[in-house]
């Protein structure tokens, strides 16, 4: 889906412009939100087969316009430096994004697991001990659900930035 949407965006950018094409990433936001609705009782077929291609299609809509916008008004002599800054920004941004979303996920997991452990410690029945695994699975689902929800919110924030800040017209992309 990522490759197909990137190929489709290649044809779309000259007609509507790169910022508008990047703004059409609602598939990515929708896919991330859809992933945030997972539960510990979900299955691969029921919880992941749908949102993963939707999210991939949304990412594909960003792969083509991002370099076009980043290099639109850069002189040919400076295009190598600008391209390397774009690549470095992708790497650093990806690392920071994974760190932030991982922190969100595991903080929620730890808080939920800690609350479940405290409740299990107060109960002395064997049934309470048996429910610890189910409680931990719930904590994992809750943590990663929250991380996907934060990722969807970040994607919405990026949409607002793309709409309000980026001022590149299709004519600026003629040489790209």
């Amino acid at each position: 889906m990522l490759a197909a949407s990137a190929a489709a965006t290649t044809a779309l950018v000259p007609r509507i412009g790169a910022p508008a094409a990047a703004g059409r990433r609602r598939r990515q936001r929708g896919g991330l939100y859809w992933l945030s609705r997972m539960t510990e009782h979900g299955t691969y077929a029921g919880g992941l087969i749908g949102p993963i291609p939707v999210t991939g299609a949304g990412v594909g809509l960003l792969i083509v316009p991002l370099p076009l916008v980043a290099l639109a008004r850069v002189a040919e002599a400076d295009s190598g430096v600008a391209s390397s800054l774009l690549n470095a920004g992708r790497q650093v941004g990806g690392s920071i994004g994974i760190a932030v979303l991982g922190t969100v996920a595991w903080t929620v997991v730890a808080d939920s697991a800690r609350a479940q452990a405290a409740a299990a410690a107060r109960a002395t029945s064997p049934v309470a001990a048996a429910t610890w695994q189910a409680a931990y699975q719930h904590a994992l689902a809750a943590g990663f659900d929250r991380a996907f929800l934060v990722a969807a919110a970040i994607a919405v924030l990026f949409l607002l930035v793309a709409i309000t800040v980026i001022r590149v017209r299709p004519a600026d992309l003629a040489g790209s």
Side-chain angles (χ1 to χ4, degrees):
M1 289 305 295
L2 190 143
S5 66
T9 304
T10 302
L12 186 66
V13 166
R15 287 187 279 146
I16 66 170
R24 291 178 178 254
R25 294 180 338 155
R26 63 183 153 259
R27 285 181 187 86
Q28 179 190 20
R29 292 183 299 279
L32 290 169
Y33 180 76
W34 192 358
L35 284 168
S36 77
R37 305 292 90 201
M38 288 187 305
T39 68
E40 66 272 17
H41 305 294
T43 63
Y44 180 78
L48 295 176
I49 284 184
I52 287 176
V54 170
T55 303
V59 171
L61 291 173
L62 185 63
I63 287 176
V64 174
L66 182 63
L68 292 175
V69 169
L71 301 173
R73 295 183 186 139
V74 175
E76 191 172 331
D78 297 330
S79 63
V81 173
S83 181
S84 68
L85 285 173
L86 172 66
N87 289 331
R90 283 180 176 169
Q91 296 296 317
V92 171
S95 298
I96 291 171
I98 291 293
V100 167
L101 296 177
T103 300
V104 168
W106 289 107
T107 299
V108 172
V109 169
D111 291 346
S112 181
R114 201 173 7 259
Q116 295 295 328
R122 287 190 299 271
T124 57
S125 71
V127 174
T131 61
W132 169 247
Q133 184 176 1
Y136 187 68
Q137 289 175 349
H138 174 74
L140 282 173
F144 286 94
D145 287 351
R146 181 73 51 86
F148 282 123
L149 190 60
V150 169
I154 291 169
V156 169
L157 177 66
F158 287 165
L159 169 67
L160 296 174
V161 169
I163 290 171
T164 59
V165 174
I166 299 174
R167 300 287 178 230
V168 178
R169 300 177 316 263
D172 297 332
L173 304 173
S176 299

